[in-house]
Structures are given as C-alpha cells and as structure tokens.
C-alpha cells in the first residue's frame, strides 16, 4: 500500500466490520429473515426489552463445523446447517478469512435501522394514533427556522421518504404531538415518553464521541421506549414489536465499545455514492450503451477534479501545510457575517414600531444609552436610570436595518473548504404583492441569549428572545449619544424576552416558555456574537 509521502509498504488488512442494511446482513451471516444477525434470540421475542430477553451470541465454531460438513454430502450439509441455525450456503466469502467472526463484525446501521426503519414505523404509528389530518396541520403551522424544513403538504402523505427527510422530520416530531388528543380520551403521557425515548436513542447513537456516561444514557433512552411502547398496543395500532431492527438497538452500546462511534460504519457514506457514481453518470448518457459512456464521464470528471486541486495547490505557492501532531478539536468555530450594506438603508422609526413590532423602540434605545454611558463603578436604582433615560433625545428619524445575520463554519482543519452557513437569524416584516404567490410572510426568529453565565452545555444562563429588528445607529448620531471614550457595538438588535426556563416536563423532557408577562424594557443593544447566540 502506498502512503501519502510516496513510500510503499506491505499491508495485511483484516476484515473487521460488515456495514450493510438488514437484507445484506442476512445474506452475509446466512441466517433467516426475522432473525437477529448477532445472537440466537427467537423471532417471537424480538420485541422484549434488553433486560428481559434471553439470548446468547451466535456460536461461530458450530457454524464453521457445519460448513465443513459439505464434504460428507449434500443431505448431511443441509442438516448440519439447520442445526447450526444458518442457511445451507456453500463457502461464504468469510469462511477462510483469518481472525474473523462474521456475527460479531455486523455493525449498527443508523440509516436503514433507525431512520428508514424505526422512524418510518414510528411515523405510521403516530398517524394512526393522532390522526393524519391533525399531524399535517401542525406541520404546516410550524414557524420557519434555519434548521427546520417546513413540509407545507404535511408528512403523512409522503412517499419514498429518504433518510435525509426522516432526519428533518425528527427535529420537530416530538413538538407537534404535545397535547394531542388520543382516541377514547386516553392519556398521551405514555405516547410522549415512548417517542421521546426513541428520539433520544436516535440522537445519542449518533454522538461523534462517547463516554461510559453517554452509553448509559443510550441504554436508558431505549428502556424508556420499551417501558411505554404498550401505548401503541392499547390503541390497537400494533399487536407486537417483534422487529429485527428494533431488537438490534440492544447491541448498539456493545458495538460502540468495540468498534467506536457509529459514524465509522454508517452506510449513509456509501449510499451517497449511488448518486455520484451511478445516477448522475447515467443522466449524462443518451441511455444507449450507457456503461461505456458512464465510465468515460466518471474518468473525465475525476481528471477535472484532480486538475482543479493541482491548480489550487500551485496558487498557494506549493507550500506544504505544517504537520499537526494532535487532531483538531471537535468544537465548531463559527464566524458571524453580515451583509456589507443594510437590507434597507433608511427605515423611519414609525415603520420600525408598526411593521417590525418594536412597540417601545425609542424608550428602549434611550434606556440602553443611559445604561452604557454611566460612569464606571456607578450604581443607580431602576428609577434613577429611568429618569436618566427620559432626558435622552434620539437625534435621528431613520436608521439602516438588516434582515438577516449568518454564522459560517470556520475551516479549522485547513482543507480550503468553502464556507458553510450553519446558522442564520431572520427579522423582517411581511410584504404584500399583486398576487398571493408574491406575498412574503413576516419572519422574526427566536434565539438563545447567553446572559454571561451560560456554558457550552445545558440551558443554565440562557434565555430565549425573539429578534424584532437588527439595525445600526447612524454614524452622525453616535457622537451625540455616546461619549468619545465609548464605542457602541456595530450592530444592535431589539428583542422581546421569553419567560425563564422552568423544570422540564416529565413526559416530553422539554421546557415550556412564553412571552414574559412583565416586559421591563425590551433589552436593547444585544450584540450578535457567536458566543451569545446559538439557534
């Protein structure tokens, strides 16, 4: 094998992992459909919880002995394979490979087992429990967000749903079934806990780094689903849960300990090659003698790709990047970006109040100016601050307004990757057009604000606010409002506060917040930085 520096070494690769969907796992392990490829649990016990199910790992020695019975004749071979619990397949590809246990090598498959398996079943169960019309109506009423796709036609009528679409649905699935009504006035607590447990397991299983604590949480999430799954039987939706893909989740923690995190063997990486190497290549042909044309197209595209990389390498001066003895940190560094020019150069304060919903704009701005211009080490009461703000005159009637702020993913690994927008905040009023299709609905996003005590985990030290307007103070007005020793932030925002986080709900695990009943003053002058705002 050739290394990156050009030296050639003799290598002896070992077969360690088998990544594939369930039909491929059945073929590789020679078991029968509805059986687990890793253990000998009976098919009618697949729906049992991990602590209740009685199973043992498959005996590789007995399977190899059965494969060797081929020399004794066909009938003896078939009987030996049946006794070993496998199908009579002659000389499987792994039979002669060294240091291999094919049953232990089968790895979890997040794409087909979770997204295209359990989540697909869960959506069908919820449609029967809550009603398709109600679920679709709630999907259409979701507010827009950078990380949420709005399914304007609902999700129950979708056909041939991809793994990406199931991923997007999972982001809001728990939220749309809260306080839903079940048939016969049954309590929805068990339904919420079951859905929460399955979704928690889904996201915990995809952690890029695991500890003993996270693996315990993974098993607890699975137990939460098993403890509450009978709600679907009580509703008459399911008779049993003998699903191989559901039972395989019991092996996730063990496989993560053995082979590492699930992103090491996720079939999603190879599935995407169907598009790059097959579908796109086929579309480039005239659909006659397509294989030769596809190979030519792929070869030319690869040459163009390598030539592009060579040009980039020459443009940067043929300089080799310094060796990094340690892998880069897993922290995602984000950079805030704003457009060079405002979306609207001059918006009157009356329009800011009426169209952007900033009811106390002038008072809040005066309150902000009064607060930041206090002399150092000066303590005033709230009443004194109000009196100080009342004496401040706002010396402008129009101001520039921005409708969007973005955060880009920094290229910390030095791969010269193009910037990717990982977050954005919109704050714009609605616009009416001649036709209904030309109209634009208003959008004022909500964000997390760090009050200075928030950390990288949890909600402590954070509050939710709704951004109403992002603007600049006109440059000519800055010296009239602030002393020369103080430089105000370049971008300011008018926000409305939500109530503080309370104790999470015991059933869905979510916090319930609403607009603060007593808005003191809409906190003004929140400076948008990567540390303060996280969607």
């Amino acid at each position: 094998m050739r290394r990156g520096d050009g030296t050639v070494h003799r290598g002896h690769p070992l077969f360690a992992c088998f990544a594939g969907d369930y039909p491929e796992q059945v073929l590789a392990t020679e078991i029968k459909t509805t059986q687990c490829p890793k253990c000998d649990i009976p098919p009618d016990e697949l729906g049992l919880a991990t602590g209740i199910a009685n199973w043992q790992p498959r005996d590789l020695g007995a399977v190899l002995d059965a494969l060797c019975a081929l020399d004794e004749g066909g009938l003896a071979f078939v009987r030996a394979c049946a006794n070993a619990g496998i199908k009579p397949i002659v000389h499987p590809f792994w039979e002669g490979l060294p240091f291999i246990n094919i049953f232990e090598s089968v790895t979890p498959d997040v794409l087909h087992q979770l997204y295209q398996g359990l989540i697909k079943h869960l959506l069908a169960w919820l449609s029967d429990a809550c009603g398709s019309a109600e679920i679709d109506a709630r999907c259409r009423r979701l507010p827009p967000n950078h990380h949420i796709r709005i399914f304007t036609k609902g999700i129950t009528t979708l056909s041939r749903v991809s793994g990406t679409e199931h991923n997007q649905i999972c982001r809001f699935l728990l939220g749309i079934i809260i306080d839903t009504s079940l048939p016969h006035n049954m309590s929805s607590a068990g339904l919420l806990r079951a859905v929460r447990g399955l979704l928690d397991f889904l996201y915990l299983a995809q952690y890029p780094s695991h500890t003993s604590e996270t693996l315990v949480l993974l098993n607890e999430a699975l137990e939460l689903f098993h403890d509450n799954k009978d709600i679907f039987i009580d509703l008459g939706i399911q008779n049993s849960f003998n699903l191989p893909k559901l039972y395989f989740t019991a092996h996730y923690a063990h496989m993560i300990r053995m082979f590492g995190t699930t992103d090491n063997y996720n079939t999603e990486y190879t599935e995407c090659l169907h598009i790059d190497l097959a579908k796109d290549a086929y579309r480039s042909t005239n659909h006659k003698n397509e294989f030769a044309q596809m190979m030519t197209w792929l070869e030319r595209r690869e040459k163009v790709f390598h030539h592009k990389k060579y040009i980039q390498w020459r443009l940067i001066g043929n300089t080799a990047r310094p060796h990094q003895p340690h892998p880069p940190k897993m922290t995602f560094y984000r950079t805030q970006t704003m457009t060079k020019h405002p979306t609207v150069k001059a918006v009157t304060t009356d329009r800011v109040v009426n169209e952007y919903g900033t009811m106390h704009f002038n008072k809040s701005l005066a309150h902000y100016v009064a607060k930041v211009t206090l002399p150092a080490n000066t303590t005033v009461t709230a009443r004194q601050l109000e009196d100080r703000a009342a004496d401040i005159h706002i010396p402008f009637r129009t101001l520039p307004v921005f409708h969007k702020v973005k955060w880009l993913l920094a290229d910390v690994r030095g791969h010269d990757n193009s910037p990717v927008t990982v977050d954005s905040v919109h704050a714009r009023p609605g616009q009416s057009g001649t036709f209904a299709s030309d109209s634009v609905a208003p959008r004022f996003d909500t964000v997390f604000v760090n009050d200075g005590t928030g950390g990288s985990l949890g909600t402590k030290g954070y509050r939710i606010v709704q951004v109403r307007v992002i603007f600049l103070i006109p440059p000519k007005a800055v010296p009239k409002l602030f002393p020369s020793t103080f430089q105000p932030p370049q971008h300011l925002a008018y926000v409305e506060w939500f109530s503080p986080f309370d104790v999470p709900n015991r059933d869905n695990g979510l916090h319930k917040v609403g607009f603060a009943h007593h808005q003191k003053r809409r906190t003004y002058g929140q400076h948008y930085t990567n540390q303060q705002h996280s969607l």
Side-chain angles (χ1 to χ4, degrees):
M1 299 179 66
R2 185 182 299 274
R3 289 178 46 179
D5 57 3
T7 59
V8 179
H9 297 264
R10 174 176 293 179
H12 302 276
L14 298 176
F15 186 89
C17 297
F18 180 84
D21 56 11
Y22 183 70
E24 294 168 346
Q25 295 173 359
V26 169
L27 289 175
T29 56
E30 303 182 8
I31 63 171
K32 297 179 181 179
T33 304
T34 71
Q35 292 182 333
C36 176
K38 300 189 70 64
C39 64
D40 60 356
I41 186 172
D44 58 350
E45 296 182 9
L46 293 175
L48 298 179
T50 306
I52 302 176
N54 184 17
W55 58 271
Q56 295 294 330
R58 293 191 177 273
D59 189 353
L60 178 63
V63 172
L64 293 177
D65 293 341
L67 294 176
C68 293
L70 181 63
D71 298 336
E72 302 175 6
L75 183 59
F77 175 68
V78 172
R79 289 177 177 174
C81 290
N83 293 332
I86 62 173
K87 292 183 289 187
I89 298 178
V90 178
H91 298 310
F93 73 92
W94 46 265
E95 181 180 10
L97 296 179
F99 310 111
I100 180 177
N101 185 337
I102 186 61
F103 306 111
E104 194 72 20
S105 299
V106 174
T107 58
D109 180 12
V110 173
L111 176 61
H112 295 99
Q113 289 176 348
L114 300 185
Y115 281 119
Q116 297 292 69
L118 298 184
I119 297 303
K120 182 178 180 180
H121 288 299
L122 182 62
L123 291 177
W125 299 339
L126 292 178
S127 297
D128 294 337
C130 306
S132 301
E134 179 64 20
I135 288 182
D136 291 340
R138 295 190 176 200
C139 288
R140 289 190 289 267
R141 289 195 292 265
L142 286 172
N145 186 277
H146 179 81
H147 295 283
I148 292 181
R149 173 181 171 182
I150 304 299
F151 292 85
T152 56
K153 297 183 179 180
I155 59 176
T156 61
T157 58
L158 296 175
S159 61
R160 303 183 60 147
V161 184
S162 65
T164 301
E165 290 173 327
H166 276 139
N167 185 342
Q168 295 164 342
I169 292 172
C170 288
R171 300 180 182 186
F172 58 78
L173 184 59
L174 182 59
I176 64 174
I177 64 172
I178 293 177
D179 70 23
T180 186
S181 299
L182 297 182
H184 311 297
N185 293 325
M186 294 184 62
S187 173
S188 62
L191 178 69
L192 292 176
R193 287 195 291 265
V195 175
R196 171 192 169 191
L198 197 55
L199 291 178
D200 284 349
F201 181 89
L202 169 69
Y203 289 115
L204 286 167
Q206 298 179 78
Y207 271 21
S209 177
H210 271 288
T211 63
S212 299
E213 182 181 357
T214 59
L215 292 180
V216 170
L217 295 175
L218 182 72
N219 289 329
E220 290 178 352
L222 185 59
E223 292 175 1
L224 180 63
F225 170 77
H226 281 294
D227 292 342
N228 297 274
K229 65 186 178 183
D230 289 343
I231 184 65
F232 298 108
I233 297 179
D234 298 337
L235 291 171
I237 298 173
Q238 281 289 108
N239 295 324
S240 67
F241 293 90
N242 295 326
L243 305 172
K245 294 181 179 180
L246 174 60
Y247 176 75
F248 198 96
T249 56
H251 297 291
Y252 267 57
H254 169 69
M255 299 309 296
I256 290 174
R257 290 188 180 97
M258 176 170 289
F259 292 119
T261 54
T262 56
D263 55 0
N264 291 323
Y265 35 79
N266 191 355
T267 56
E268 186 175 0
Y269 300 135
T270 56
E271 289 289 335
C272 69
L273 296 179
H274 291 172
I275 299 176
D276 298 336
L277 303 182
K279 295 181 179 180
D280 289 346
Y282 180 76
R283 295 189 186 102
S284 66
T285 68
N286 60 2
H287 304 171
K288 297 179 181 178
N289 190 23
E290 62 274 6
F291 294 109
Q293 298 180 56
M294 290 169 63
M295 295 301 297
T296 302
W297 184 83
L298 290 171
E299 183 179 0
R300 290 175 178 175
R301 192 180 70 160
E302 187 174 355
K303 290 181 179 179
V304 170
F305 174 77
H306 283 292
H307 186 65
K308 177 183 176 181
K309 289 295 182 181
Y310 174 76
I311 293 176
Q312 293 177 350
W313 175 68
R314 291 299 301 267
L315 289 176
I316 63 176
N318 303 353
T319 56
R321 293 188 177 89
H323 173 66
Q324 294 183 352
H326 302 286
K329 297 181 180 179
M330 300 188 67
T331 304
F332 291 96
Y333 296 96
R334 299 180 298 176
T335 58
Q336 174 192 309
T337 60
M338 303 282 291
T339 56
K340 184 177 180 180
H341 302 287
T343 307
V344 184
K345 294 184 178 180
V347 180
T348 62
T349 54
D350 292 338
R351 284 188 57 195
V352 169
V353 172
N354 297 326
E355 297 182 11
Y356 291 82
T358 58
M359 188 176 301
H360 305 285
F361 184 84
N362 287 335
K363 292 182 179 179
S364 299
L365 178 56
H367 187 272
Y368 168 74
V369 174
K371 186 175 181 179
V372 300
T373 56
L374 284 173
N377 302 323
T378 301
T379 303
V380 296
T381 64
R383 181 61 185 176
Q384 291 173 336
L385 190 61
E386 292 289 339
D387 295 339
R388 182 183 175 90
D391 296 334
I392 295 177
H393 171 68
I394 306 300
F396 56 84
R397 285 193 163 185
T398 62
L399 68 162
V401 169
F402 296 82
H403 287 175
K404 186 177 182 180
V405 55
K406 297 192 299 183
W407 285 271
L408 304 181
L409 181 63
D411 185 20
V412 295
R413 289 174 173 83
H415 292 167
D416 293 331
N417 295 328
S418 57
V420 178
T421 302
V422 294
D423 236 334
S424 65
V425 174
H426 296 255
R428 65 166 188 263
Q431 295 179 1
S432 59
T434 306
F435 303 97
S437 58
D438 298 333
S439 301
V440 178
R443 177 174 176 179
F444 301 98
D445 289 350
T446 54
V447 299
F448 282 104
V449 174
N450 189 341
D451 62 7
T453 62
S456 58
L457 298 175
T459 58
K460 184 179 180 181
Y462 287 89
R463 291 279 298 273
I464 294 180
V465 300
Q466 185 177 38
V467 182
R468 304 300 302 191
V469 64
I470 307 168
F471 65 98
L472 294 176
I473 294 180
K476 294 182 178 179
V478 171
K480 298 179 181 179
L481 293 174
F482 305 96
S484 58
T485 57
F486 177 80
Q487 182 62 34
Q490 183 179 6
H491 300 98
L492 302 175
Y494 181 102
V495 300
E496 291 188 344
W497 292 91
F498 280 76
S499 57
F501 291 110
D502 55 3
V503 179
N505 184 276
R506 58 176 299 182
D507 296 327
N508 54 56
L510 302 179
H511 298 272
K512 184 177 181 179
V513 298
F515 280 111
H517 295 296
H518 303 287
Q519 293 273 353
K520 301 175 182 178
R521 283 279 183 233
R522 272 65 172 179
T523 294
Y524 212 94
Q526 293 293 339
H527 180 42
Y528 276 91
T529 64
N530 186 26
Q531 291 77 18
Q532 288 183 339
H533 296 268
S534 174
L535 289 183

